Each structure stands twice: as C-alpha cells, then as structure tokens.
Amino acid sequence: MADGQRPPDRTLEALLKEDRRFDPPGDFRRLAHVTDPAVHAQAEEDFLGFWASFATELDWIREWDRVLEWEPPHARWFVGGRINICANCLDRHVRGPRRNKVAIVWEGEPGERRTLTYWDLFQDVCRFASVLKSLGVRKGDRVAMYMPLIPELAIAMLACARIGAVHNVVFGGFSAESLRDRISDSGAKLLVTADGGYRRGSIIPLKRIADEAVEACPSIQSVVLVKRADLPVDMRRGRDHWWHHLMEQATPECEAEAMDAEDMLFLLYTSGTTGKPKGIVHTTAGYLVGVYATTKWVFDLRDEDVYWCTADIGWVTGHSYVVYGPLANGATVVMYEGAPDWPRRDRFWEIAERTGTTVFYTAPTAIRAFMKWGTEHPARHDLSRLRLLGTVGEPINPEAWVWYYKHIGGERCPVVDTWWQTETGQIMITPLPGITSLRPGSASRPFPGIRAEIFDDEGRAVKVGGGYLVLSRPWPAMLRNIYGDPERYVKQYWSRFSGVYFTGDGARVDEEGNFWLLGRVDDVLNVAGHRIGTMEVESALVDHPAVAEAAVVGIEHEIKGTAIAAFVTLKEKSAQPGDEAGPPSAAGQALAEQLKEHVTKKIGALARPEVIILTADLPKTRSGKIMRRLLRDIASGKALGDTTTLADPAVIETLKQKYEEAG
Ligand code: ATP
Ligand code: MG
C-alpha cells in the first residue's frame, strides 16, 4: 500500500453501498401469514419448539420422541417419528376440501396443456407406486430419473416417496456420461426416462442418451419410458417398458409406507459450479418440515394462490419448491416444460397471464436475460395478479432486483431473495414478505430458527462486516451425508470451522443484521492485499445502463500482483460491440473505458478492472450459474478444469479466442 501500512485485517471487504429500501405494501402486510417481527425472537427462545410447531401441522403415522439429536456433524430430526411424505402431499388433501383443487397446471413447450387435480395426481402416484413394486423396487432401493419437465417426473418422485424408494433426479440436459456417473454412484436399480423432451424448438433424444449411459450401468434392471415426443426408440426386451402400458394395468391401491423420520428420501447432485458435483443425501421428516414451513412463510402461500417456480425439477429448487413444499401446502403449481424465449421472448409472461400466476419464483440468470431482452415483452401482458416475486441461485445484482420489482412486479410485489443450497434443502436466509423492509441485493435475515453467522479466518464471529458465511445450528432439512463418501462430508462442510457448517460462500452482515451475499469464497479477488467478493464489482458493472450481466475474476499482474478482469454482456438495446469476431472495435474499446470509469466512480479505484471483455455469453452451469473458475482459467491461460457441468461448451471457446485477441 502507498503509505506502507498493511491493509486492514479483514476476511472480506465491502465496497458497494446500496441504500434503496422497499417496505411491504399495506395490504400485503395486513393479510400475510407472518405479520409480527417478533417471530424471530420467539423462534430464538425455543428453536426446537418452533420447528415442532410446524411438524404438528402435518400427518404423522407415529409421533416423534425427540425433536433433535445432535452429535456434530450428524443430526437426527424428529427421532422415533414415522411419517410418509407422499401421504402428506396427497392423501391429506384428497380427504378434505382440496380433493378437486388443481394441483398441477402443466404446459409443454409446443403448447399442449394438462391440468391435474389433487385427486388425479393421487391416483396416478398410487398407480405408479404399484408399478415400481411390480418391477421389484423395494424400500431403500435407488431409482434414477432423467426426464423432461412433465407431470410424470413429479408423479415418479412422489411414487418413490410413497413406497420408500430413494429417488435421484438427473437434470434432462446432462450428457450420457454425466448420467452414467450419477447412476453408477447411486447404484440405481430402475431408470425412469422419456423418448424425448422439448427444448427451444428441438427435441432432446433422452432415451437414446439414456441407452448409452445405461450400457455401462449394470445396476439398472428396468427402464420405464414416458411417450412424450413420438421419437422412434429401441426397446430392450425384458428391460424397457412403456409408462402408459404399465399404468393401464396398475392398481391405484397402494398403501403409503410408514417411513422412519431419518430414512433417506432422495439423493441429488449439486450444480457443479465450483468443481465435481457432490451426491447430497436428504432424509424424510426434517426435510418435509423444513420445506413445508419455508414454502408457507416465505411465499406466503394461501389456498387461492397460483404458484409458479420456474426451476427444473432436476435441481434442488425443483425438489423443494416445485414438488414437495408447495404440494405439502396444498398449492396449485404451474409447470412449464420449455425455454423462456420459445417461440417468443414473452412466453413466461403469456403463461403467467393465462394461468393467473400470483407467486412467481425464478433465478437471477433468468432475470438478467429478461433485462437483456427488454421491457416490451412483459409489457405486452397483464401481470396484475402477481403479488409476490422470488429469486434464488446466485446473488442478485441490485439493478436486476429493481428491474424485476418494477417491470414484472409493477412496483407492487415484494421480492424475496432467498439464499440456500442443495445441501441446506430449504431456504435459509430470506425476507418474510409481510414484515421485511427489502434491500435490493440483500437476502435479508436468517429464517426464524436458523442461525447464520459471518466468521473471519480464525473462526471468530464478525458482528458487522464481511467474511465466511456459516450455519452454526442444525436445521431440519439439512443434508445428512455425501452419498457413499462420509469422509468428504466431514471434510467439505465441517472441517473449516469445527462443529459449524461451512457454506463456501462469502457474505457481509450490516448494522441492521441484513446479510449481503458476496460470492463464493473460491472466487474472492485479492487486489493489493484487499479481499473483495465478486458480487460488488459485478453489481457496479451491471449498474451501468448498457450492461446486462458481468463476471469478474482475479488475474496475475506484473506490477499490482493481482488485477481484475471483467467479462461483460450488454443489453440488446445498446450497440453490440461484444458480438463481432476479431479484435475489439473502437466502439467496444470506448465502452470498456467507460465501464472502468463507472466502477471507479461507484466503488473506488481499487476495484477498477484492468481488462474488460465484451461478450455475447458467459460460461454457465446447466442450472444457469456463472462459472467463474473457467473464466479464471481462460484469463490465466491455464487448461480448463472440469467442464462436464457447463451448459454450452462453445461459449468458452469463443471467450478464449476473444481473450487472446484482447491481449
Ligand atoms: P457446487 O456446490 O457443486 O459447486 P452449486 O453450489 O452451484 O454447485 P447449488 O447447491 O445449486 O450448487 O447452489 C447453491 C449456491 O448458489 C450457494 O452456495 C450460493 O453460492 C448460490 N446461491 C443460491 N441462492 C443465492 C442467493 N439468493 N444469493 C446468493 N447466492 C445464492
Ligand atoms: Mg455449492
């Protein structure tokens, strides 16, 4: 440093100041499930009692003896209890006034529509549960699913839950190799797939890909195939069966298994943003209580709501907040199979308008795409029934938050920015829409009963400031293990700080107790001795009117040691200097200079990017998260790390070229 002093001894520094504040509208506040801010303090007084009170709203076969047994790092929730999740999502509702209520409103990408009531869903789930049994699937067996976003996927999951089989859903966009690895790791006995699924107008030949994968998976004894796309398929005799044939013959009588609270419910691999995906183990009762409670309070669900979470069921968001949480709450759930820009860029808004969606939950990557495409697409539709918006998956840049609030929510709907992970199973840090004063870019506070803290390098709690985000108390839907790798479970999550769960994310907490996610700690920038999260520099870039999305990484610099490289995509209304091939144009260079200036002005010279690369696309995981580790590899000229979770390998090739041309 210029004055020879050491930089302040902080784990992560905060640079960006964001002062905007949005209070819940009066009507919303009055009618919400949670209207009293004292819920936080009350849950702190007796956090076990807090979770147990949600548990008593569910149907138990046998009540639990103890709410929690905690021998770090192993938790058991609702010990001694017996319960069935499927019965709580279906049987409980068909016995009462929700019997004929719509459970699922589904739309295929080509435009077909299906509506299933709770009764319909119940019948189909029981039938498929009988099918699974007839194919020899028993309690504890693993069942893999590789499917498009169609009701049969939810039906298959619920059927597994009904008979106590463990599901492992693999996102339908993965390659044969990724599917094979996941099936082998889980030792699945049966695979449910489809002939094909639609994506942006073309058909993904799921069965063909699955055949290639299953070739090398001796554990698979049967394959059940949904007819979705009328693709020709090879049927292997004795192994492959059509879903509709089996369902015609199956009985809808199938008792729900009395599962132990700690029996495994599912196994799911993380998105792979930071490296090789981990097979996360979730169990029964705690998971149900966690997702039931958070769905009810965070989305403020009421019986008349039409709820749409756009996540694919192949990710944890789809498990917890398309299937289990909303169905346990008896909600009407919208499902859409395809892409948001097919055939036009207003597809989501057309669906939201037609279905009368009231609660809408999506990812920042989608919001930034909407921003990039322009406001005219949502403006063509009547979105006045929306009353609540949510986001999950990445930090949301304040500009994107405000855009969402304004152009989708009509400045009327609270936006809940929910922080959580595949490992946490349930939402952990989030506004409660009836009581939280919202700050764009902040996920606000831990859900009642949850204890999140910021630790410094030595594991001391930081009261106000930046550092590592940890969870210092068990919670019901927490992961129980990494499948087949208990050592990695301990090493990955419980060793950085003893007895405390390490999230891998950096965050800052402010004077009011609001949490601001700063990005992954693996991605932290280290500039002239200052440790800076990626989020703030990116948000300063996105704050510029021409920018839609940005990703920054640290690069080696001869003089400074480390400098910042920024990869930036532009809104379509501005000129597109990033699109052309070859060395950067004069217009591109001028804009890059402007952007450097903008960052300097917003947060200081320290964060001024050394290099700005304008690009049409950023490398993302198949779940839509920016993969900074690959950008870092490009920027430092290293060989690329694991790319199997990358959505579009072409993006990375183009970027490599661009980077070299930019010198
Ligand atoms: P892997 O662990 O394999 O690298 P991943 O972390 O991307 O993959 P997920 O479990 O799908 O897999 O994602 C959880 C991560 O997403 C969080 O740790 C955090 O980095 C990010 N995240 C999710 N929601 C938010 C949010 N609201 N704000 C900031 N970051 C978020
Ligand atoms: Mg992770």
Side-chain angles (χ1 to χ4, degrees), residues 571-587:
K571 288 184 188 153
E572 296 194 348
K573 284 286 136 55
S574 48
Q576 285 288 313
D579 277 355
E580 74 262 345
S585 66

Side-chain angles (χ1 to χ4, degrees), residues 186-307:
S186 69
K189 198 168 181 180
L190 184 140
L191 170 70
V192 189
T193 184
D195 52 352
Y198 291 86
R199 192 69 189 180
R200 207 161 271 121
S202 57
I203 299 176
I204 302 173
L206 295 171
K207 171 68 158 81
R208 207 177 330 131
I209 301 168
D211 280 342
E212 200 187 319
V214 169
E215 202 64 28
C217 297
S219 65
I220 295 286
Q221 295 170 3
S222 320
V223 175
V224 179
L225 197 56
V226 178
K227 201 174 186 62
R228 164 78 192 106
D230 273 324
L231 277 189
V233 289
D234 291 332
M235 295 296 275
R236 170 87 62 89
R237 251 212 137 90
R239 186 194 72 182
D240 298 354
H241 312 268
W242 283 108
W243 171 289
H244 56 278
H245 288 165
L246 296 170
M247 288 290 268
E248 267 164 29
Q249 294 149 21
T251 161
E253 307 294 320
C254 180
E255 200 60 34
E257 192 76 30
M259 302 301 289
D260 184 86
E262 282 297 331
D263 277 337
M264 202 194 305
L265 172 67
F266 68 84
L267 156 64
L268 182 67
Y269 291 82
T270 55
S271 306
T273 312
T274 53
K276 192 173 174 290
K278 307 165 273 281
I280 303 300
V281 172
H282 282 288
T283 59
T284 300
Y287 175 78
L288 177 63
V289 170
V291 300
Y292 169 75
T294 46
T295 306
K296 183 170 176 179
W297 278 20
V298 175
F299 301 113
D300 190 44
L301 272 195
R302 294 192 224 130
D303 246 326
E304 58 277 21
D305 274 316
V306 176
Y307 166 92

Side-chain angles (χ1 to χ4, degrees), residues 33-34 39 50 54 57 292-301 329 388 431-434 447-448:
H33 279 302
V34 184
V39 288
F50 172 77
F54 282 104
E57 295 176 22
Y292 169 75
T294 46
T295 306
K296 183 170 176 179
W297 278 20
V298 175
F299 301 113
D300 190 44
L301 272 195
N329 277 279
L388 178 63
L432 292 174
F447 189 82

Side-chain angles (χ1 to χ4, degrees), residues 148-150 153 171 199 307-323 333-338 348 360-363 366 392-393 420 622-623:
L149 213 173
I150 53 178
L153 176 50
F171 173 59
R199 192 69 189 180
Y307 166 92
W308 184 13
C309 165
T310 68
D312 193 280
I313 294 178
W315 311 117
V316 74
T317 306
H319 283 58
S320 299
Y321 299 108
V322 176
V323 180
V333 177
V334 177
M335 283 183 195
Y336 165 57
E337 176 189 29
F348 272 15
F360 181 78
Y361 189 33
T362 197
V392 60
W420 60 294
R622 285 165 214 259
S623 61

Side-chain angles (χ1 to χ4, degrees), residues 24-301:
D27 286 359
F28 200 103
R29 195 193 294 265
R30 255 194 320 283
L31 298 171
H33 279 302
V34 184
T35 54
D36 184 357
V39 288
H40 287 282
Q42 284 158 5
E44 276 313 291
E45 265 169 38
D46 175 16
F47 86 100
L48 295 177
F50 172 77
W51 292 116
S53 76
F54 282 104
T56 56
E57 295 176 22
L58 300 166
D59 274 3
W60 292 80
I61 298 163
R62 181 186 185 278
E63 198 159 316
W64 60 92
D65 302 316
R66 277 176 313 287
V67 177
L68 172 67
E69 262 177 30
W70 176 226
E71 284 167 34
H74 301 287
R76 299 173 68 213
W77 281 86
F78 302 103
V79 183
R82 293 203 160 258
I83 192 167
N84 187 283
I85 293 203
C86 176
N88 273 278
C89 291
L90 300 176
D91 309 38
R92 197 158 70 95
H93 305 312
V94 298
R95 277 200 305 272
R98 293 189 183 123
R99 188 182 184 87
N100 296 309
K101 179 178 175 177
V102 172
I104 296 176
V105 185
W106 174 84
E107 183 162 319
E109 195 184 73
E112 326 86 304
R113 289 174 205 155
R114 283 165 67 188
T115 303
L116 283 85
T117 64
Y118 272 93
W119 173 256
D120 298 334
L121 188 59
F122 171 65
Q123 290 288 290
D124 279 353
V125 166
C126 289
R127 275 206 188 87
F128 196 64
S130 305
V131 165
L132 289 174
K133 280 185 173 172
S134 72
L135 292 173
V137 176
R138 301 280 169 263
K139 187 176 162 184
D141 287 345
R142 274 81 59 218
V143 173
M145 295 169 195
Y146 180 63
M147 293 171 80
L149 213 173
I150 53 178
E152 284 78 1
L153 176 50
I155 291 167
M157 291 162 74
L158 288 160
C160 284
R162 192 166 192 85
I163 64 167
V166 174
H167 57 73
N168 174 25
V169 183
V170 179
F171 173 59
F174 272 118
S175 64
E177 202 184 328
S178 301
L179 175 62
R180 184 199 61 204
D181 290 348
R182 286 162 180 74
I183 293 177
S184 303
D185 195 58
S186 69
K189 198 168 181 180
L190 184 140
L191 170 70
V192 189
T193 184
D195 52 352
Y198 291 86
R199 192 69 189 180
R200 207 161 271 121
S202 57
I203 299 176
I204 302 173
L206 295 171
K207 171 68 158 81
R208 207 177 330 131
I209 301 168
D211 280 342
E212 200 187 319
V214 169
E215 202 64 28
C217 297
S219 65
I220 295 286
Q221 295 170 3
S222 320
V223 175
V224 179
L225 197 56
V226 178
K227 201 174 186 62
R228 164 78 192 106
D230 273 324
L231 277 189
V233 289
D234 291 332
M235 295 296 275
R236 170 87 62 89
R237 251 212 137 90
R239 186 194 72 182
D240 298 354
H241 312 268
W242 283 108
W243 171 289
H244 56 278
H245 288 165
L246 296 170
M247 288 290 268
E248 267 164 29
Q249 294 149 21
T251 161
E253 307 294 320
C254 180
E255 200 60 34
E257 192 76 30
M259 302 301 289
D260 184 86
E262 282 297 331
D263 277 337
M264 202 194 305
L265 172 67
F266 68 84
L267 156 64
L268 182 67
Y269 291 82
T270 55
S271 306
T273 312
T274 53
K276 192 173 174 290
K278 307 165 273 281
I280 303 300
V281 172
H282 282 288
T283 59
T284 300
Y287 175 78
L288 177 63
V289 170
V291 300
Y292 169 75
T294 46
T295 306
K296 183 170 176 179
W297 278 20
V298 175
F299 301 113
D300 190 44
L301 272 195

Side-chain angles (χ1 to χ4, degrees), residues 270 274 278 421 423 503 520:
T270 55
T274 53
K278 307 165 273 281
Q421 307 177 306
E423 294 89 339
T503 65
R520 296 162 188 281

